[in-house]
Amino acid sequence: MFNRNRFLRRVAAIASISLVAGCSLLSDGDPDSKGPIVVGTTSAPSTLDPAGAWDGSWELFRNIYQTLVAYPNGATTPQPDAAESCSFTDAGSRTYRCTLRSDMKFADGDALNAEAVKHSIDRVRTINAPGGPAGLLGSLDRVETVGDRGVVFHLNKSDATFPFVLATPAMSIVDPDDYPARSLRKDDQVFGSGPYKLQSYEDDKQAVLVSNGNYKGFAKRQNDAVTIRYFQDSAGMVKALRDKQIDVTYRGLAADDIVALQQHANSNLQLVDGAGTDISYLVFNPKDPWAKQPAVRKAVAQVVDRGAIAHKVYKDTVDPLYSMVPKGLTGHSTGFFDEYGDPSVPKARKILTNAGITQRVPLTLWYTTDRYGSETGLMFQELKRQLDDSGLFTVTLKSRPWKTYVVGYQKGEYPVFGRGWFPDFPDADNFIAPFVGEHNALGTPYPAKKITDTLLPHSRAESDRAQTVKDMEQAQQFLVNDSRLIPLWQGRQFVAASEDISGGEQALDPSTIMMMWALHRKTSW
């Protein structure tokens, strides 16, 4: 269902070293002896509290917090981590029980027990932070503790995807003494139970991670410390890599920089290209007088040229996407291509005129300047060009930095806005369920009763996820017919690193979150 052997093709690396499936990025090595490995990214956390984030903050959470289950290297289904064992105890996938490892502790020495797990999960729902992950727990009825080590999750309906939910960093276990039950923690004194502890943090600048001596779990640290540096753009990040100020880049490499690395092999750098499941899409606000009209949305879907966006803006480092479910996942379809075919202004005009719309439609498109990569602004300029040139729309572009952008779409301020999505877990369900319902990841209610009340419950009762294809295809067709969400492209994953770094392709879990503990420096060639 999900391709874990994806980082296999090296496109710019040392000529005398070859890669094959299952091997490390370059070769095996010993733990680091030259100080912390420094990783660059353009995706800074929006918060340090797991109850408050359903976004790229998870990258940091995965490394400093711990979940009951997660993904050891090579796994595509969740396996015990903080837990010693976890499983459904009934045939209907409605009761899920975990037993914690013995003598678990947080990084500061406090005990990690069943009550801490219950506290952590309960507060996600109690706080219900705007843009937070409470929506992931829609199938949870209550959490029960059994002694110090037993935790039982009682579900209100069958949900075979619940273990995947528990594996998300949103379900990180936190200390009840430090994390209030009804409010988010605001400071940066974070203590989890993950492979690392957060030694220091500077907002939008860097996070310094050092090994957590109290950690118990499946992770085998290949380094003693990692520093994550947050950049505003790809150019600054790549310059830092070339100047040896950082060792690895992940998330945010611009197309021009990727192409430059591909075309000009550098003996000091390596670039690995593999399949990804992140997507980019447009969201239409039903409260806006124009965006709420199905004919307007469908006309936009008919005009948008995904191929031009992928080629002109992203230099073919992304692929056109015709469904909210990306290629590579069971249940993927091509509904938007099947419905609309190639871009066509005459067809779009007919859609509008049939609905009685003969004037140029004014639309304001919003995007964030610092979340989804340096090309985002260029992509929206291309979208504006396509829609304006059709003669059917008059487009105004507006933008904000991510932290204020989030507030805006949660308040329903944007008629049409761009979003990206990195999967919570590798299942088609996770590219449909988060976007529908009264409370969803978009901050924009989207009832979709056929999906929420029929298709998703039916598919979640199926433990064999290969048997959910029909339900997922029907859900995707509903999204096509409604066109409240319009998919644009599917990304590929690129990791650039200095020549002495190993473990890159092993460092990504099925949600493409980087597990920093897999990175290490080579000690010999």
Side-chain angles (χ1 to χ4, degrees):
M1 182 170 66
F2 187 88
N3 180 13
R4 285 291 294 152
N5 297 318
R6 55 194 174 208
F7 287 92
L8 306 180
R9 181 167 64 88
R10 190 175 80 184
V11 293
I14 302 170
S16 61
I17 306 294
S18 63
L19 280 176
V20 294
C23 293
S24 66
L25 198 64
L26 290 175
S27 65
D28 293 333
D30 298 321
D32 302 292
S33 59
K34 298 180 181 178
I37 290 177
V38 184
V39 178
T41 178
T42 60
S43 183
S46 60
T47 176
L48 298 184
D49 191 327
W54 199 348
D55 58 26
S57 305
W58 287 11
E59 203 91 53
L60 181 60
F61 295 172
R62 176 62 77 205
N63 292 279
I64 61 176
Y65 294 109
Q66 195 174 16
T67 47
L68 288 170
V69 292
Y71 303 96
N73 181 41
T76 57
T77 56
Q79 305 297 318
D81 187 16
E84 179 179 87
S85 63
C86 285
S87 64
F88 281 107
T89 60
D90 64 326
S93 300
R94 294 188 61 163
T95 305
Y96 193 73
R97 177 165 183 158
C98 292
T99 301
L100 286 168
R101 297 175 187 264
S102 60
D103 300 319
M104 292 289 289
K105 295 180 180 179
F106 290 101
D108 62 354
D110 286 356
L112 190 164
N113 53 26
E115 189 57 42
V117 175
K118 175 176 168 57
H119 172 84
S120 303
I121 305 300
D122 284 347
R123 72 188 293 268
V124 171
R125 296 200 297 175
T126 299
I127 295 171
N128 193 19
L136 288 169
L137 294 170
S139 64
L140 178 63
D141 180 28
R142 61 188 174 90
V143 184
E144 175 190 5
T145 61
V146 182
D148 285 341
R149 296 174 57 198
V151 185
V152 182
F153 298 92
H154 299 277
L155 308 184
N156 52 37
K157 52 193 170 186
S158 297
D159 187 0
T161 71
F162 189 72
F164 290 94
V165 172
L166 284 183
T168 67
M171 305 303 140
S172 295
I173 305 168
V174 298
D175 191 336
D177 291 340
D178 299 325
Y179 290 78
R182 298 184 178 277
S183 62
L184 296 176
R185 186 172 177 174
K186 302 298 184 182
D187 61 67
D188 58 7
Q189 300 301 306
V190 173
F191 290 103
S193 60
Y196 300 95
K197 58 184 178 181
L198 186 64
Q199 185 178 70
S200 65
Y201 179 77
E202 295 179 75
D203 193 29
D204 289 330
K205 292 184 179 180
Q206 70 175 19
V208 177
L209 281 55
V210 297
S211 61
N212 173 17
N214 289 329
Y215 171 72
K216 288 185 177 182
F218 61 68
K220 293 178 172 55
R221 282 188 302 268
Q222 300 298 310
N223 59 69
D224 294 324
V226 172
T227 295
I228 306 172
R229 287 186 56 191
Y230 302 112
F231 291 85
Q232 293 298 311
D233 54 45
S234 175
M237 185 167 65
V238 172
K239 183 178 186 303
L241 179 66
R242 293 187 184 279
D243 293 344
K244 299 185 178 180
Q245 295 174 352
I246 63 175
D247 301 300
V248 183
T249 69
Y250 184 57
R251 294 216 195 281
L253 278 176
D256 285 340
D257 291 318
I258 293 169
V259 171
L261 287 166
Q262 289 173 333
Q263 294 178 345
H264 305 289
N266 185 314
S267 61
N268 297 318
L269 298 177
Q270 52 185 313
L271 176 70
V272 176
D273 165 6
T277 53
D278 59 302
I279 67 172
S280 177
Y281 58 99
L282 292 177
V283 182
F284 288 78
N285 186 346
K287 294 181 181 179
D288 180 78
W290 288 107
K292 74 177 182 181
Q293 299 187 49
V296 170
R297 303 194 298 262
K298 292 179 180 182
V300 171
Q302 184 65 74
V303 169
V304 168
D305 188 339
R306 296 168 177 81
I309 291 171
H311 181 66
K312 292 171 61 177
V313 178
Y314 289 93
K315 312 296 175 60
D316 298 316
T317 61
V318 303
D319 298 316
L321 182 63
Y322 297 94
S323 168
M324 290 299 289
V325 176
K327 293 177 290 186
L329 294 186
T330 298
H332 164 74
S333 69
T334 56
F336 275 87
F337 185 82
D338 299 338
E339 182 72 20
Y340 298 105
D342 293 326
S344 171
V345 173
K347 289 181 180 179
R349 181 178 291 108
K350 185 175 181 181
I351 292 172
L352 292 172
T353 55
N354 285 348
I357 301 172
T358 57
Q359 69 180 89
R360 287 181 74 127
V361 176
L363 286 178
T364 300
L365 273 58
W366 282 82
Y367 64 93
T368 179
T369 57
D370 58 354
R371 172 59 58 167
Y372 302 123
S374 304
E375 294 85 7
T376 304
L378 297 175
M379 179 181 76
F380 273 82
Q381 290 174 26
E382 172 62 17
L383 283 170
K384 172 178 168 58
R385 185 197 66 76
Q386 293 178 9
L387 295 172
D388 285 349
D389 287 357
S390 73
L392 305 175
F393 302 92
T394 300
V395 172
T396 301
L397 296 182
K398 293 187 178 182
S399 62
R400 286 176 177 170
W402 176 251
K403 289 186 177 180
T404 54
Y405 184 75
V406 172
V407 175
Y409 73 67
Q410 289 171 351
K411 290 182 177 179
E413 295 178 0
Y414 311 147
V416 186
F417 59 98
R419 283 294 308 270
W421 185 252
F422 295 94
D424 303 321
F425 50 85
D427 191 286
D429 179 290
N430 192 236
F431 288 87
I432 296 173
F435 310 131
V436 295
E438 291 295 331
H439 303 284
N440 59 50
L442 304 173
T444 303
Y446 188 0
K449 295 290 186 180
K450 173 68 173 178
I451 296 177
T452 58
D453 295 356
T454 303
L455 297 175
L456 289 178
H458 186 262
S459 70
R460 288 173 175 176
E462 180 56 70
S463 58
D464 181 357
R465 304 307 292 161
Q467 300 303 313
T468 66
V469 170
K470 185 175 179 180
D471 289 329
M472 293 297 100
E473 288 179 344
Q474 288 186 43
Q476 289 168 84
Q477 188 58 48
F478 181 96
L479 297 179
V480 171
N481 295 342
D482 204 29
S483 293
R484 278 273 304 275
L485 310 171
I486 296 181
L488 299 174
W489 54 257
Q490 174 177 350
R492 305 210 304 266
Q493 298 302 320
F494 294 90
V495 175
S498 61
E499 62 181 347
D500 65 338
I501 295 295
S502 299
E505 86 290 348
Q506 297 168 338
L508 298 177
D509 76 4
S511 300
T512 66
I513 292 175
M514 184 169 276
M515 302 176 290
M516 305 294 177
W517 59 84
L519 300 172
H520 58 279
R521 287 194 176 88
K522 290 169 58 335
T523 56
S524 64
W525 291 95

